[in-house]
């Protein structure tokens, strides 16, 4: 009995070790020269497939040298003809092309026709950014310039929450020339993807230009022109109410609101181009149009650190007395 027990125990130990060493659902890249690379496929992007094997960091392989992909996992794909779907990649067919399983249907495609492939989005996902810049001069000119910006995005398949906070401060020779705070919140309900209902709120203050308070609450409808892990273009149009305390005057008015968010990743996701803007048009009350834009490039150095270049442009068609219409800042 003891001998039999030891044999069974050794077998179970060996089987357990095998499960840890060889994942049950590992993906396989089969190259045209017959080589096989086993690991976890991360993406297809810009004519390359990214794979992370057990023995090395993630690397890219040119799609032109890949014969086919074998995997039991599901992926989100976009083909060159614009079709998007969630599929499984099940090796090569008799025609030597990639077999793609879509529900109960199996079809053949050329790997080079896959414009983009990503792992399915998590049921819950979030991302955030924190930017801080400061310039301090002393000597003939005493000046301090600081700017802080933070944002956070939390999303589920049907809901998105986006928050943003910006604080800018400038002082030269004990004279404060900017003391601006802006906080924004946006909620999206994707009731019929890519269409969504939007609810937004923002509060801004800058007493240096006599803007003691500006509160805007609005609702509207938006659409995701495209929304994948690599790129996003989302627009929305709505209307709401605005309450302002400006230049010792308080006024409530109705407003129309237009906003756009754009993001596009390059170089396997390490380089990001972004542009966000909003336009608020007074429909009643004082005649004013407010435009806020933020455009830039973000380069990921590590998972937690990135370099950032941002150009912000704010515009008021009818600002308070003595205030400039434009406010431009370049942040590194």
């Amino acid at each position: 009995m003891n001998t039999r027990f030891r044999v069974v125990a050794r077998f179970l130990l060996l089987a357990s070790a095998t499960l840890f060493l060889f994942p049950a659902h590992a993906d396989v890249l089969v190259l045209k020269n017959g080589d096989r690379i086993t690991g976890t496929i991360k993406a297809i992007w810009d004519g390359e497939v990214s794979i992370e094997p057990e023995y090395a960091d993630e690397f890219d392989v040119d799609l032109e040298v890949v014969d086919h992909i074998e995997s039991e996992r599901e992926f989100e794909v976009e083909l060159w003809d614009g079709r998007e779907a969630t599929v499984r990649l099940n090796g090569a067919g008799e025609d030597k092309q990639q077999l793609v399983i879509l529900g109960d249907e199996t079809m053949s495609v050329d790997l080079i026709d896959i414009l983009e492939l990503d792992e399915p989005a998590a049921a819950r996902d979030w991302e955030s950014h924190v930017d801080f810049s400061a310039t301090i001069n002393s000597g003939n000119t005493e000046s301090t310039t600081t700017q802080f910006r933070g944002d956070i995005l939390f999303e589920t398949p049907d809901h998105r929450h986006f928050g943003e906070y910006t604080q800018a401060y400038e002082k030269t020779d004990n004279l404060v020339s900017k003391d601006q705070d802006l906080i924004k919140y946006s909620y999206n309900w994707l009731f019929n993807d890519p269409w969504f209902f939007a609810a937004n709120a923002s509060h801004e203050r800058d007493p240096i230009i006599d803007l003691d308070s500006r509160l805007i609450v609005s609702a509207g409808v938006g659409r995701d022109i495209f929304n994948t892990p690599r790129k996003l273009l989302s627009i929305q149009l709505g209307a709401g109410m605005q309450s302002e305390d400006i230049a010792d005057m308080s006024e409530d008015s109705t407003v129309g609101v237009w906003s756009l968010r754009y993001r596009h990743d390059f170089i396997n996701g390490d380089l990001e181009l972004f542009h966000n803007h909003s336009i608020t048009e007074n429909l009643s009350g004082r005649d004013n149009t407010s435009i806020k834009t933020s455009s830039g490039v973000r380069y990921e150095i590590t998972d937690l650190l990135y370099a950032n270049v941002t150009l912000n442009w704010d515009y008021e068609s009818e600002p308070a007395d003595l205030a400039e219409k434009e406010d431009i800042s370049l942040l590194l």
Side-chain angles (χ1 to χ4, degrees):
M1 289 292 293
N2 290 338
T3 301
R4 182 178 300 175
F5 177 79
R6 285 196 296 269
V7 171
V8 173
R10 289 173 182 173
F11 173 79
L12 292 176
L13 180 63
L14 179 61
S16 301
T18 303
L19 289 175
F20 280 106
L21 291 175
F22 301 100
H25 299 292
D27 306 323
V28 180
L29 284 185
V30 180
L31 307 186
K32 292 180 179 178
N33 64 4
D35 290 348
R36 298 170 65 90
I37 304 174
T38 301
T40 302
I41 292 175
K42 298 294 186 178
I44 290 179
W45 178 253
D46 197 23
E48 296 178 328
V49 54
S50 300
I51 187 169
E52 183 177 6
E54 292 287 325
Y55 50 82
D57 293 333
E58 180 180 341
F59 61 90
D60 298 330
V61 178
D62 197 324
L63 270 182
E64 293 186 351
V65 304
V66 178
D67 184 77
H68 64 270
I69 297 172
E70 299 173 359
S71 177
E72 296 182 16
R73 298 190 299 140
E74 289 188 335
F75 297 93
E76 295 178 355
V77 300
E78 178 183 352
L79 303 179
W80 279 102
D81 60 9
R83 286 182 295 167
E84 298 181 5
T86 300
V87 304
R88 286 187 290 124
L89 306 177
N90 197 32
E94 296 180 357
D95 56 2
K96 305 300 183 182
Q97 288 193 314
Q98 177 69 52
L99 286 179
V100 174
I101 299 177
L102 173 59
D104 296 329
E105 178 186 359
T106 300
M107 57 185 180
S108 297
V109 300
D110 193 329
L111 272 178
I112 206 67
D113 287 336
I114 298 180
L115 177 64
E116 181 177 350
L117 175 145
D118 292 286
E119 297 177 292
R124 292 179 175 84
D125 194 15
W126 70 279
E127 66 175 355
S128 63
H129 303 97
V130 176
D131 303 338
F132 178 76
S133 63
T135 302
I136 300 175
N137 296 314
S138 62
N140 294 327
T141 301
E142 300 283 343
S143 66
T144 301
T145 302
T146 63
Q147 176 141 338
F148 172 87
R149 180 187 178 278
D151 67 59
I152 184 168
L153 170 68
F154 176 77
E155 57 183 337
T156 66
D158 296 327
H159 305 276
R160 283 196 297 251
H161 303 268
F162 182 77
E164 179 182 347
Y165 175 71
T166 302
Q167 200 279 333
Y169 179 82
E170 293 180 7
K171 183 173 72 172
T172 303
D173 293 331
N174 294 321
L175 178 63
V176 178
S177 57
K178 177 180 285 190
D179 186 13
Q180 181 186 36
D181 292 284
L182 173 63
I183 186 169
K184 300 170 67 175
Y185 169 75
S186 180
Y187 165 73
N188 298 162
W189 169 42
L190 285 86
F191 63 89
N192 187 18
D193 194 7
W195 293 94
F196 60 86
F197 165 79
N200 310 286
S202 67
H203 183 265
E204 180 182 8
R205 58 172 292 277
D206 190 349
I208 305 304
I209 61 171
D210 288 331
L211 178 60
D212 295 321
S213 175
R214 176 185 289 154
L215 174 65
I216 301 175
V217 178
S218 65
V221 176
R223 190 180 194 276
D224 291 338
I225 306 302
F226 43 78
N227 184 10
T228 72
R230 300 286 179 172
K231 57 185 179 179
L232 165 72
L233 177 58
S234 181
I235 59 175
Q236 60 175 278
L237 179 66
M241 297 296 298
Q242 174 180 270
S243 178
E244 282 186 314
D245 291 330
I246 184 169
D248 297 325
M249 177 186 67
S250 296
E251 183 176 83
D252 296 334
S253 57
T254 57
V255 294
V257 180
W258 159 269
S259 66
L260 176 147
R261 290 178 58 220
Y262 170 74
R263 171 186 56 80
H264 203 147
D265 290 349
F266 301 92
I267 313 179
N268 200 28
D270 291 338
L271 182 68
E272 178 183 299
L273 175 68
F274 62 90
H275 171 77
N276 304 310
H277 75 240
S278 64
I279 302 174
T280 303
E281 177 74 27
N282 283 28
L283 303 178
S284 67
R286 73 185 188 94
D287 185 16
N288 184 50
T289 301
S290 174
I291 303 174
K292 296 184 179 299
T293 73
S294 179
S295 306
V297 177
R298 182 178 293 122
Y299 182 75
E300 184 176 291
I301 300 172
T302 69
D303 289 342
L304 296 176
L305 182 66
Y306 58 86
N308 194 50
V309 180
T310 305
L311 177 66
N312 294 329
W313 178 63
D314 292 354
Y315 173 81
E316 298 269 346
S317 65
E318 296 295 333
D321 293 341
L322 303 180
E324 298 289 337
K325 290 187 176 183
E326 292 183 308
D327 189 3
I328 301 174
S329 60
L330 179 65
L331 306 177
L332 306 178

mmCIF file with all atom_site columns, all heavy atoms in Angstrom, residues 41-54:
data_model
loop_
_atom_site.group_PDB
_atom_site.id
_atom_site.type_symbol
_atom_site.label_atom_id
_atom_site.label_alt_id
_atom_site.label_comp_id
_atom_site.label_asym_id
_atom_site.label_entity_id
_atom_site.label_seq_id
_atom_site.pdbx_PDB_ins_code
_atom_site.Cartn_x
_atom_site.Cartn_y
_atom_site.Cartn_z
_atom_site.occupancy
_atom_site.B_iso_or_equiv
_atom_site.pdbx_formal_charge
_atom_site.auth_seq_id
_atom_site.auth_comp_id
_atom_site.auth_asym_id
_atom_site.auth_atom_id
_atom_site.pdbx_PDB_model_num
ATOM 1   N N   . ILE A 1 41 ? -0.925 35.778 -26.795 1.00 0.00 ? 41 ILE A N   1
ATOM 2   C CA  . ILE A 1 41 ? -1.049 36.815 -27.807 1.00 0.00 ? 41 ILE A CA  1
ATOM 3   C C   . ILE A 1 41 ? -1.729 38.032 -27.199 1.00 0.00 ? 41 ILE A C   1
ATOM 4   O O   . ILE A 1 41 ? -2.790 37.930 -26.589 1.00 0.00 ? 41 ILE A O   1
ATOM 5   C CB  . ILE A 1 41 ? -1.836 36.303 -29.026 1.00 0.00 ? 41 ILE A CB  1
ATOM 6   C CG1 . ILE A 1 41 ? -1.019 35.234 -29.756 1.00 0.00 ? 41 ILE A CG1 1
ATOM 7   C CG2 . ILE A 1 41 ? -2.197 37.446 -29.973 1.00 0.00 ? 41 ILE A CG2 1
ATOM 8   C CD1 . ILE A 1 41 ? -1.752 34.580 -30.887 1.00 0.00 ? 41 ILE A CD1 1
ATOM 9   N N   . LYS A 1 42 ? -1.094 39.199 -27.362 1.00 0.00 ? 42 LYS A N   1
ATOM 10  C CA  . LYS A 1 42 ? -1.598 40.443 -26.783 1.00 0.00 ? 42 LYS A CA  1
ATOM 11  C C   . LYS A 1 42 ? -2.366 41.281 -27.790 1.00 0.00 ? 42 LYS A C   1
ATOM 12  O O   . LYS A 1 42 ? -3.393 41.884 -27.448 1.00 0.00 ? 42 LYS A O   1
ATOM 13  C CB  . LYS A 1 42 ? -0.435 41.262 -26.218 1.00 0.00 ? 42 LYS A CB  1
ATOM 14  C CG  . LYS A 1 42 ? 0.324  40.573 -25.086 1.00 0.00 ? 42 LYS A CG  1
ATOM 15  C CD  . LYS A 1 42 ? -0.555 40.409 -23.870 1.00 0.00 ? 42 LYS A CD  1
ATOM 16  C CE  . LYS A 1 42 ? 0.224  39.866 -22.687 1.00 0.00 ? 42 LYS A CE  1
ATOM 17  N NZ  . LYS A 1 42 ? -0.601 39.731 -21.474 1.00 0.00 ? 42 LYS A NZ  1
ATOM 18  N N   . ALA A 1 43 ? -1.874 41.362 -29.027 1.00 0.00 ? 43 ALA A N   1
ATOM 19  C CA  . ALA A 1 43 ? -2.520 42.251 -29.997 1.00 0.00 ? 43 ALA A CA  1
ATOM 20  C C   . ALA A 1 43 ? -1.964 42.002 -31.385 1.00 0.00 ? 43 ALA A C   1
ATOM 21  O O   . ALA A 1 43 ? -0.879 41.431 -31.565 1.00 0.00 ? 43 ALA A O   1
ATOM 22  C CB  . ALA A 1 43 ? -2.307 43.715 -29.607 1.00 0.00 ? 43 ALA A CB  1
ATOM 23  N N   . ILE A 1 44 ? -2.746 42.414 -32.376 1.00 0.00 ? 44 ILE A N   1
ATOM 24  C CA  . ILE A 1 44 ? -2.252 42.598 -33.748 1.00 0.00 ? 44 ILE A CA  1
ATOM 25  C C   . ILE A 1 44 ? -2.458 44.065 -34.064 1.00 0.00 ? 44 ILE A C   1
ATOM 26  O O   . ILE A 1 44 ? -3.556 44.601 -33.911 1.00 0.00 ? 44 ILE A O   1
ATOM 27  C CB  . ILE A 1 44 ? -2.993 41.719 -34.755 1.00 0.00 ? 44 ILE A CB  1
ATOM 28  C CG1 . ILE A 1 44 ? -2.632 40.243 -34.552 1.00 0.00 ? 44 ILE A CG1 1
ATOM 29  C CG2 . ILE A 1 44 ? -2.673 42.149 -36.194 1.00 0.00 ? 44 ILE A CG2 1
ATOM 30  C CD1 . ILE A 1 44 ? -3.348 39.291 -35.495 1.00 0.00 ? 44 ILE A CD1 1
ATOM 31  N N   . TRP A 1 45 ? -1.397 44.720 -34.495 1.00 0.00 ? 45 TRP A N   1
ATOM 32  C CA  . TRP A 1 45 ? -1.445 46.163 -34.709 1.00 0.00 ? 45 TRP A CA  1
ATOM 33  C C   . TRP A 1 45 ? -0.342 46.572 -35.680 1.00 0.00 ? 45 TRP A C   1
ATOM 34  O O   . TRP A 1 45 ? 0.807  46.144 -35.541 1.00 0.00 ? 45 TRP A O   1
ATOM 35  C CB  . TRP A 1 45 ? -1.278 46.902 -33.382 1.00 0.00 ? 45 TRP A CB  1
ATOM 36  C CG  . TRP A 1 45 ? -1.269 48.394 -33.482 1.00 0.00 ? 45 TRP A CG  1
ATOM 37  C CD1 . TRP A 1 45 ? -0.200 49.218 -33.337 1.00 0.00 ? 45 TRP A CD1 1
ATOM 38  C CD2 . TRP A 1 45 ? -2.389 49.238 -33.765 1.00 0.00 ? 45 TRP A CD2 1
ATOM 39  N NE1 . TRP A 1 45 ? -0.577 50.519 -33.495 1.00 0.00 ? 45 TRP A NE1 1
ATOM 40  C CE2 . TRP A 1 45 ? -1.910 50.566 -33.757 1.00 0.00 ? 45 TRP A CE2 1
ATOM 41  C CE3 . TRP A 1 45 ? -3.737 49.002 -34.009 1.00 0.00 ? 45 TRP A CE3 1
ATOM 42  C CZ2 . TRP A 1 45 ? -2.753 51.653 -34.001 1.00 0.00 ? 45 TRP A CZ2 1
ATOM 43  C CZ3 . TRP A 1 45 ? -4.553 50.088 -34.252 1.00 0.00 ? 45 TRP A CZ3 1
ATOM 44  C CH2 . TRP A 1 45 ? -4.065 51.384 -34.239 1.00 0.00 ? 45 TRP A CH2 1
ATOM 45  N N   . ASP A 1 46 ? -0.687 47.357 -36.685 1.00 0.00 ? 46 ASP A N   1
ATOM 46  C CA  . ASP A 1 46 ? 0.281  47.912 -37.617 1.00 0.00 ? 46 ASP A CA  1
ATOM 47  C C   . ASP A 1 46 ? 1.099  46.813 -38.294 1.00 0.00 ? 46 ASP A C   1
ATOM 48  O O   . ASP A 1 46 ? 2.314  46.929 -38.465 1.00 0.00 ? 46 ASP A O   1
ATOM 49  C CB  . ASP A 1 46 ? 1.197  48.893 -36.892 1.00 0.00 ? 46 ASP A CB  1
ATOM 50  C CG  . ASP A 1 46 ? 1.946  49.804 -37.859 1.00 0.00 ? 46 ASP A CG  1
ATOM 51  O OD1 . ASP A 1 46 ? 1.450  49.984 -38.990 1.00 0.00 ? 46 ASP A OD1 1
ATOM 52  O OD2 . ASP A 1 46 ? 3.015  50.316 -37.486 1.00 0.00 ? 46 ASP A OD2 1
ATOM 53  N N   . GLY A 1 47 ? 0.426  45.715 -38.686 1.00 0.00 ? 47 GLY A N   1
ATOM 54  C CA  . GLY A 1 47 ? 1.099  44.656 -39.428 1.00 0.00 ? 47 GLY A CA  1
ATOM 55  C C   . GLY A 1 47 ? 1.982  43.758 -38.591 1.00 0.00 ? 47 GLY A C   1
ATOM 56  O O   . GLY A 1 47 ? 2.794  43.001 -39.138 1.00 0.00 ? 47 GLY A O   1
ATOM 57  N N   . GLU A 1 48 ? 1.841  43.811 -37.256 1.00 0.00 ? 48 GLU A N   1
ATOM 58  C CA  . GLU A 1 48 ? 2.642  42.983 -36.368 1.00 0.00 ? 48 GLU A CA  1
ATOM 59  C C   . GLU A 1 48 ? 1.751  42.336 -35.314 1.00 0.00 ? 48 GLU A C   1
ATOM 60  O O   . GLU A 1 48 ? 0.722  42.886 -34.932 1.00 0.00 ? 48 GLU A O   1
ATOM 61  C CB  . GLU A 1 48 ? 3.731  43.807 -35.673 1.00 0.00 ? 48 GLU A CB  1
ATOM 62  C CG  . GLU A 1 48 ? 4.763  44.388 -36.624 1.00 0.00 ? 48 GLU A CG  1
ATOM 63  C CD  . GLU A 1 48 ? 5.800  45.231 -35.898 1.00 0.00 ? 48 GLU A CD  1
ATOM 64  O OE1 . GLU A 1 48 ? 5.439  45.854 -34.868 1.00 0.00 ? 48 GLU A OE1 1
ATOM 65  O OE2 . GLU A 1 48 ? 6.950  45.282 -36.352 1.00 0.00 ? 48 GLU A OE2 1
ATOM 66  N N   . VAL A 1 49 ? 2.177  41.146 -34.848 1.00 0.00 ? 49 VAL A N   1
ATOM 67  C CA  . VAL A 1 49 ? 1.461  40.464 -33.780 1.00 0.00 ? 49 VAL A CA  1
ATOM 68  C C   . VAL A 1 49 ? 2.361  40.455 -32.549 1.00 0.00 ? 49 VAL A C   1
ATOM 69  O O   . VAL A 1 49 ? 3.548  40.125 -32.631 1.00 0.00 ? 49 VAL A O   1
ATOM 70  C CB  . VAL A 1 49 ? 1.048  39.031 -34.187 1.00 0.00 ? 49 VAL A CB  1
ATOM 71  C CG1 . VAL A 1 49 ? 2.227  38.214 -34.663 1.00 0.00 ? 49 VAL A CG1 1
ATOM 72  C CG2 . VAL A 1 49 ? 0.342  38.330 -33.025 1.00 0.00 ? 49 VAL A CG2 1
ATOM 73  N N   . SER A 1 50 ? 1.806  40.847 -31.390 1.00 0.00 ? 50 SER A N   1
ATOM 74  C CA  . SER A 1 50 ? 2.556  40.874 -30.133 1.00 0.00 ? 50 SER A CA  1
ATOM 75  C C   . SER A 1 50 ? 2.250  39.610 -29.355 1.00 0.00 ? 50 SER A C   1
ATOM 76  O O   . SER A 1 50 ? 1.084  39.257 -29.166 1.00 0.00 ? 50 SER A O   1
ATOM 77  C CB  . SER A 1 50 ? 2.167  42.105 -29.307 1.00 0.00 ? 50 SER A CB  1
ATOM 78  O OG  . SER A 1 50 ? 2.440  43.299 -30.012 1.00 0.00 ? 50 SER A OG  1
ATOM 79  N N   . ILE A 1 51 ? 3.292  38.945 -28.875 1.00 0.00 ? 51 ILE A N   1
ATOM 80  C CA  . ILE A 1 51 ? 3.130  37.723 -28.101 1.00 0.00 ? 51 ILE A CA  1
ATOM 81  C C   . ILE A 1 51 ? 4.087  37.763 -26.918 1.00 0.00 ? 51 ILE A C   1
ATOM 82  O O   . ILE A 1 51 ? 5.199  38.276 -27.015 1.00 0.00 ? 51 ILE A O   1
ATOM 83  C CB  . ILE A 1 51 ? 3.382  36.466 -28.967 1.00 0.00 ? 51 ILE A CB  1
ATOM 84  C CG1 . ILE A 1 51 ? 3.045  35.201 -28.175 1.00 0.00 ? 51 ILE A CG1 1
ATOM 85  C CG2 . ILE A 1 51 ? 4.795  36.445 -29.520 1.00 0.00 ? 51 ILE A CG2 1
ATOM 86  C CD1 . ILE A 1 51 ? 3.005  33.935 -29.009 1.00 0.00 ? 51 ILE A CD1 1
ATOM 87  N N   . GLU A 1 52 ? 3.617  37.247 -25.791 1.00 0.00 ? 52 GLU A N   1
ATOM 88  C CA  . GLU A 1 52 ? 4.441  37.196 -24.575 1.00 0.00 ? 52 GLU A CA  1
ATOM 89  C C   . GLU A 1 52 ? 4.624  35.736 -24.168 1.00 0.00 ? 52 GLU A C   1
ATOM 90  O O   . GLU A 1 52 ? 3.723  35.124 -23.597 1.00 0.00 ? 52 GLU A O   1
ATOM 91  C CB  . GLU A 1 52 ? 3.777  37.980 -23.443 1.00 0.00 ? 52 GLU A CB  1
ATOM 92  C CG  . GLU A 1 52 ? 4.617  38.028 -22.175 1.00 0.00 ? 52 GLU A CG  1
ATOM 93  C CD  . GLU A 1 52 ? 3.962  38.870 -21.092 1.00 0.00 ? 52 GLU A CD  1
ATOM 94  O OE1 . GLU A 1 52 ? 2.807  39.309 -21.288 1.00 0.00 ? 52 GLU A OE1 1
ATOM 95  O OE2 . GLU A 1 52 ? 4.596  39.086 -20.045 1.00 0.00 ? 52 GLU A OE2 1
ATOM 96  N N   . PRO A 1 53 ? 5.802  35.146 -24.450 1.00 0.00 ? 53 PRO A N   1
ATOM 97  C CA  . PRO A 1 53 ? 6.046  33.756 -24.051 1.00 0.00 ? 53 PRO A CA  1
ATOM 98  C C   . PRO A 1 53 ? 6.397  33.663 -22.571 1.00 0.00 ? 53 PRO A C   1
ATOM 99  O O   . PRO A 1 53 ? 6.631  34.676 -21.898 1.00 0.00 ? 53 PRO A O   1
ATOM 100 C CB  . PRO A 1 53 ? 7.241  33.358 -24.931 1.00 0.00 ? 53 PRO A CB  1
ATOM 101 C CG  . PRO A 1 53 ? 7.951  34.642 -25.197 1.00 0.00 ? 53 PRO A CG  1
ATOM 102 C CD  . PRO A 1 53 ? 6.906  35.724 -25.227 1.00 0.00 ? 53 PRO A CD  1
ATOM 103 N N   . GLU A 1 54 ? 6.423  32.433 -22.056 1.00 0.00 ? 54 GLU A N   1
ATOM 104 C CA  . GLU A 1 54 ? 6.752  32.227 -20.645 1.00 0.00 ? 54 GLU A CA  1
ATOM 105 C C   . GLU A 1 54 ? 8.194  32.600 -20.339 1.00 0.00 ? 54 GLU A C   1
ATOM 106 O O   . GLU A 1 54 ? 8.525  32.972 -19.214 1.00 0.00 ? 54 GLU A O   1
ATOM 107 C CB  . GLU A 1 54 ? 6.518  30.755 -20.269 1.00 0.00 ? 54 GLU A CB  1
ATOM 108 C CG  . GLU A 1 54 ? 5.062  30.325 -20.270 1.00 0.00 ? 54 GLU A CG  1
ATOM 109 C CD  . GLU A 1 54 ? 4.295  30.896 -19.090 1.00 0.00 ? 54 GLU A CD  1
ATOM 110 O OE1 . GLU A 1 54 ? 4.896  31.028 -18.002 1.00 0.00 ? 54 GLU A OE1 1
ATOM 111 O OE2 . GLU A 1 54 ? 3.110  31.222 -19.245 1.00 0.00 ? 54 GLU A OE2 1
#
